[in-house]
Amino acid sequence: MENGGTLPARYTCDGAGESPPFEIQNHPDPTAALAITGEYDRGPINEPVFWSIWNIPPERTTIPAGIPRTPTVETLGGAPQGRQRGGEVGYKAPCPPPGQPYEHRFQLYALGEILDIEAGTKHDDAVEAIGSSVLASARLTVTLQRSERTSERTTQPME
């Protein structure tokens, strides 16, 4: 993925639906932990969060693709993940309606402290806690536009 580019299908409901990888180039001292959030633009007021993960050890230089949808991720030092209201924990693959482009933003945060919030916390609450501890952040913005044909193929009932 490149900033300003297109979200590859692999990370959407039209592909494997797995979380994308990230490369961490630097962060300020004294970073206590890292966090990542994903949200998409649904208008000036509504920006639903589809992923939140926090308390990633600051020595990490990469976050692999395909983070398991578990409350904590042992391969990332036990980093907790949030959930959507009434939904499952972890990355929820973007799946906007077909036709128009949607902007999706991934934000990497350097946190000044380890967050004391439970795994499975609602994404919106996790984002609020993350925001209160930010030392620095970087944003990656990508676009996703699903075609009518792709949408029909992925939503057809199996016979």
Side-chain angles (χ1 to χ4, degrees):
M1 290 191 307
E2 291 186 24
N3 195 36
T6 301
L7 182 63
R10 173 181 176 186
Y11 311 121
T12 74
C13 66
D14 293 325
E18 63 186 22
S19 62
F22 294 92
E23 187 175 312
I24 302 157
Q25 295 178 356
N26 58 42
H27 52 73
D29 284 332
T31 296
L34 303 171
I36 299 173
T37 62
E39 63 184 25
Y40 66 95
D41 187 357
R42 202 169 179 191
I45 296 174
N46 193 354
E47 294 181 350
V49 178
F50 58 88
W51 191 30
S52 61
I53 184 169
W54 59 93
N55 293 347
I56 300 167
E59 32 309 316
R60 293 296 305 218
T61 57
T62 60
I63 307 296
I67 298 296
R69 292 181 179 108
T70 55
T72 58
V73 182
E74 295 310 314
T75 58
L76 294 178
Q81 295 191 90
R83 67 174 172 81
Q84 291 186 327
R85 280 176 217 243
E88 295 180 24
V89 170
Y91 182 82
K92 170 93 168 127
C95 198
Q100 76 180 69
Y102 280 79
E103 183 177 273
H104 291 71
R105 294 179 291 276
F106 293 94
Q107 191 95 5
L108 172 66
Y109 299 93
L111 304 178
E113 63 186 357
I114 301 289
L115 299 180
D116 187 22
I117 53 175
E118 294 182 25
T121 295
K122 287 185 268 180
H123 289 313
D124 292 338
D125 295 337
V127 168
E128 188 174 317
I130 289 166
S132 68
S133 183
V134 173
L135 294 174
S137 66
R139 178 181 284 182
L140 172 70
T141 302
V142 292
T143 302
L144 172 58
Q145 181 172 351
R146 297 176 69 225
S147 71
E148 295 287 339
R149 190 175 29 180
T150 300
S151 174
E152 289 170 8
R153 186 180 72 232
T154 60
T155 58
Q156 289 293 320
M158 295 184 70
E159 297 182 5

